[in-house]
Amino acid sequence: MSTPPAPTPSAPRTSTSTSSSSSPSLLPIPPVLRRLFDAFPLLTYPPAALPARSPDLTSSPLPRLYVFAAPDSEGRDAPSFNPSCLKWQAYLKFCGVEYTNVPSSNHASPSGQLPFLLPAASAGGSAGAVGKALPARQLLSWAGPQSGCDLQAPEVAAVMELVDSRVRDAWLYALHLSPLHFPLAQSLYCHTAVPLVNALLSRRMRSSAAAELARTRSGVLTADEVYADADAAWAALEEILGGDEWFFGAQAPGLVDAAVFAYTHLVLGVRWDGAEAGVVTRLRACKALVGHEKRVRAVCGW
């Protein structure tokens, strides 16, 4: 039997020593790690593609307004069920700004709150051409003033305070803290496929609403007190509007009209039960406010 040839010794590796001598400040790579890196070279993979349902922001011809809306209302021109979002939807329409609605949640917002607006990409847009997300507080300056009244005037500030405090308190209490309307609030804001998650989200919303009301009110919170304050606010707004078409006699609707409409439209549109029927009873008696809500709907095409 013939003896197999002896294996030929491999040529010595000189790269390590050469590298070490040429770069004395670098530690030499241990042979074990070098063999591992040779067997599994470092690769840089291309960026992963966005999901198929993600919008192509670089080619969007219109600004995108991220609002609370039904999941199936992507791109549809429909009013939001959230007053804060609805106010800015209406205001942008007053300014003649065309936009597309994007159903979203606070978790998707850079500021933690909706709405926010993503301006359209510039012509020939690249990814860098997409505008920076604008929170609600910047939408007034971005869209431009659209009102004949001075928003800094004391009487205007008083109206906005009525809406943002007394009217808003009643809306929060009726929708989120009245057990009769827990199912309604959950159906509007909780859209996951897991019932337990929806229940937890609903409980978190109730806690947030209670905490917000506690910050603006002292003592024990009662429905009678909240709704009585809202009744007084509706009556005051009715008197301020009077026989004018728009608030403060403006020639066109502005931010004040959008703020009032955001609540009148939603309060009139909800079928309230039990004691919460009082939320809408006083408003229905305010003929000027009811007419104002109809005019705003006509201007917005809703």
Side-chain angles (χ1 to χ4, degrees), residues 142-224:
W142 179 82
Q146 179 67 22
S147 175
C149 59
D150 179 9
L151 295 177
Q152 303 301 320
E155 60 272 18
V156 175
V159 168
M160 298 297 279
E161 174 64 21
L162 276 178
V163 174
D164 293 336
S165 59
R166 300 315 185 194
V167 173
R168 177 173 173 78
D169 287 355
W171 171 260
L172 288 176
Y173 192 98
L175 185 63
H176 296 292
L177 299 184
S178 169
L180 288 171
H181 299 107
F182 287 172
L184 172 61
Q186 183 169 313
S187 68
L188 292 175
Y189 288 95
C190 307
H191 303 121
T192 74
V194 183
L196 178 59
V197 173
N198 290 334
L200 292 175
L201 291 175
S202 180
R203 178 178 297 182
R204 182 177 297 178
M205 285 191 304
R206 293 197 293 272
S207 298
S208 298
E212 184 169 344
L213 290 172
R215 285 194 297 269
T216 58
R217 292 175 175 270
S218 58
V220 179
L221 187 66
T222 65
D224 290 343

Side-chain angles (χ1 to χ4, degrees), residues 25-51:
S25 61
L26 298 178
L27 293 176
I29 300 176
V32 175
L33 291 181
R34 177 179 292 279
R35 287 194 295 270
L36 179 63
F37 292 156
D38 288 342
F40 301 98
L42 181 64
L43 296 178
T44 301
Y45 293 94
L50 290 172

Side-chain angles (χ1 to χ4, degrees), residues 64-68 80 82-89 92 101-102 104-106 108-118 133-139:
R64 292 176 176 270
L65 185 66
Y66 289 73
V67 297
F68 285 110
S80 172
N82 177 271
S84 298
C85 295
L86 182 56
K87 176 178 77 172
W88 290 107
Q89 282 181 311
L92 291 179
N101 287 327
V102 180
S104 189
S105 70
N106 285 333
S109 172
S111 65
Q113 293 182 325
L114 292 182
F116 72 92
L117 184 135
L118 196 62
L134 302 176
R137 66 178 180 274
Q138 295 181 10
L139 293 181

